[in-house]
């Protein structure tokens, strides 16, 4: 998965979460999976990231993300670059980023509670589209 490639298609919602299969992360993944049609309408790609192993994430992607969006292994460097490290970089916190095709981060939402991540990122995308006058055009 390449952020650059994804951004060529449109905005990207990149969300970090602490650990696959923990209750909040599972519910958050379910919410993102359910909202994929709404994100698609806005031309957005969703990508989840955590510091879990690739095998764990493959299982998580199939069961909890419902094969609706990819999840990737966040390297220690990635976690540091996005400033989402907790526990000395051993884990990432729960933070969602909305990145526009020109590579700008227009929205950062960091909250341990999973519930507002989907509405927050959808709203940021809607606002961005409105400001661009792009509603309904891809």
């Amino acid at each position: 998965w390449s952020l650059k490639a994804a951004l060529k298609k449109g905005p990207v919602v990149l969300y970090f979460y602490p650990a696959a299969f923990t209750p909040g992360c599972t519910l958050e993944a379910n919410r993102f999976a359910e909202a994929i049609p709404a994100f698609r309408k806005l031309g957005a790609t969703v990508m989840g990231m955590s510091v879990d192993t690739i095998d764990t994430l493959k299982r998580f992607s199939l069961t909890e993300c419902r094969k609706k969006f990819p999840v990737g292994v966040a390297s220690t460097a990635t976690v540091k670059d996005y400033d989402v490290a907790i526990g000395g970089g051993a884990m990432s916190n729960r933070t969602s980023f909305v990145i526009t095709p020109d590579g700008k981060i227009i929205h950062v939402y960091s909250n341990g509670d999973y519930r507002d991540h989907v509405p927050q990122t959808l709203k940021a995308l809607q606002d961005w589209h409105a400001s661009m006058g792009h509603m309904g055009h891809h």
Side-chain angles (χ1 to χ4, degrees):
W1 191 83
S2 149
L3 181 60
K4 279 193 189 114
L7 288 170
K8 282 186 184 137
K9 293 183 272 182
V12 171
V13 175
L14 182 63
Y15 85 91
F16 289 87
Y17 56 94
F21 298 112
T22 54
C25 298
T26 295
L27 289 165
E28 182 179 26
N30 295 345
R31 295 263 172 115
F32 269 109
E34 282 154 22
I36 289 299
F39 283 111
R40 285 226 176 99
K41 252 183 216 154
L42 292 160
T45 307
V46 173
M47 172 74 181
M49 288 195 108
S50 70
V51 294
D52 295 300
T53 64
I54 193 75
D55 290 342
T56 301
L57 288 176
K58 276 184 183 151
R59 287 203 316 275
F60 190 63
S61 181
L62 290 174
T63 58
E64 303 311 329
C65 308
R66 302 177 184 160
K67 293 196 231 180
K68 297 275 195 217
F69 61 91
V71 288
V73 175
S75 66
T76 313
T78 304
V79 168
K80 281 208 179 91
D81 285 348
Y82 282 91
D83 197 24
V84 292
I86 50 173
M91 274 170 115
S92 65
N93 63 14
R94 192 182 310 285
T95 302
S96 299
F97 295 90
V98 178
I99 307 168
T100 55
D102 57 2
K104 286 198 181 94
I105 294 173
I106 55 161
H107 189 75
V108 181
Y109 179 68
S110 192
N111 192 320
D113 189 325
Y114 70 91
R115 282 175 292 206
D116 281 333
H117 285 265
V118 168
Q120 281 268 344
T121 51
L122 277 174
K123 171 111 175 49
L125 286 164
Q126 285 157 349
D127 292 349
W128 176 72
H129 270 284
S131 74
M132 302 288 280
H134 277 182
M135 280 317 277
H137 300 293
H138 294 302

